[in-house]
Amino acid sequence: MKNNATNSPVLTLVYGAAIAAIYVVLTMVFLPISFGPIQFRISELLCVLPYFTPAAIPGLFIGCLLANFLGGAAALDVIFGSIATLIGAVFTYKLRNCSRFLAPIPPIAANSIIVPFVLRFGYGVNLPIPLMILTVGIGEVVSCAVIGLILQTALLKYKGIIFRSQKSTL
């Protein structure tokens, strides 16, 4: 019997909404370390999810947008910080047929490059941009490449169950 949920827009919406909600909750729970020039946003571990499903792309973008807004971020951070996450998610999805270990690279790169400029121009942080690239990058490496790859490894075991109805549409 064919699965009627395959490519279901409702299921895709539910996956994306769940990812957005988890991103917001993780950012809010760890609010003190989620913002600033030295930040460790644990919710960024979810940035490996586009490796499994295209629903993660809007989910991560909306989750980041809401988390930044609810966390009291500056307007530039709400906009450009969320765009950095979107860029990372799109390119993670595009690398899904390559090595799974490449999944964290796009969000690390996008956030390490964009967020320091947001910190400078949105918050007036007067640290050297290269230093902020380093500090934001280290936080991204820990959350995306270390914790994110642990999540990815755990999900690989259940990929056929959790993500079976998610087909590529991009």
Side-chain angles (χ1 to χ4, degrees), residues 1-169:
M1 177 179 242
K2 185 177 178 193
N3 182 356
N4 290 333
T6 303
N7 277 342
S8 166
V10 173
L11 189 59
T12 299
L13 181 65
V14 170
Y15 273 55
I19 291 166
I22 295 166
Y23 190 101
V24 171
V25 168
L26 286 173
T27 303
M28 294 298 111
V29 166
F30 298 101
L31 191 65
I33 60 172
S34 293
F35 293 92
I38 299 175
Q39 59 181 263
F40 176 56
R41 192 173 277 201
I42 291 174
S43 50
E44 288 286 302
L45 72 94
L46 300 173
C47 288
V48 299
L49 293 179
Y51 175 81
F52 296 105
T53 175
I57 296 169
L60 289 168
F61 174 68
I62 305 261
C64 185
L65 188 79
L66 288 171
N68 286 345
F69 182 75
L70 294 171
L76 283 176
D77 197 0
V78 173
I79 296 166
F80 290 102
S82 303
I83 289 172
T85 297
L86 177 63
I87 291 167
V90 167
F91 283 96
T92 295
Y93 180 77
K94 290 195 178 289
L95 290 174
R96 73 193 177 283
N97 295 322
C98 299
S99 170
R100 71 183 189 92
F101 297 105
L102 294 177
I105 301 299
I108 292 168
N111 283 288
S112 296
I113 292 167
I114 295 170
V115 171
F117 290 96
V118 169
L119 292 170
R120 168 66 55 84
F121 299 111
Y123 296 99
V125 175
N126 199 17
L127 293 171
I129 294 288
L131 176 62
M132 290 191 286
I133 288 171
L134 180 66
T135 60
V136 171
I138 289 169
E140 286 291 312
V141 166
V142 172
S143 60
C144 291
V146 176
I147 303 171
L149 285 175
I150 292 169
L151 172 67
Q152 183 192 60
T153 301
L155 290 175
L156 279 170
K157 190 174 191 178
Y158 304 101
K159 179 181 178 183
I161 298 167
I162 299 171
F163 302 107
R164 71 171 175 236
S165 64
Q166 296 292 297
K167 300 273 184 178
S168 172
T169 57

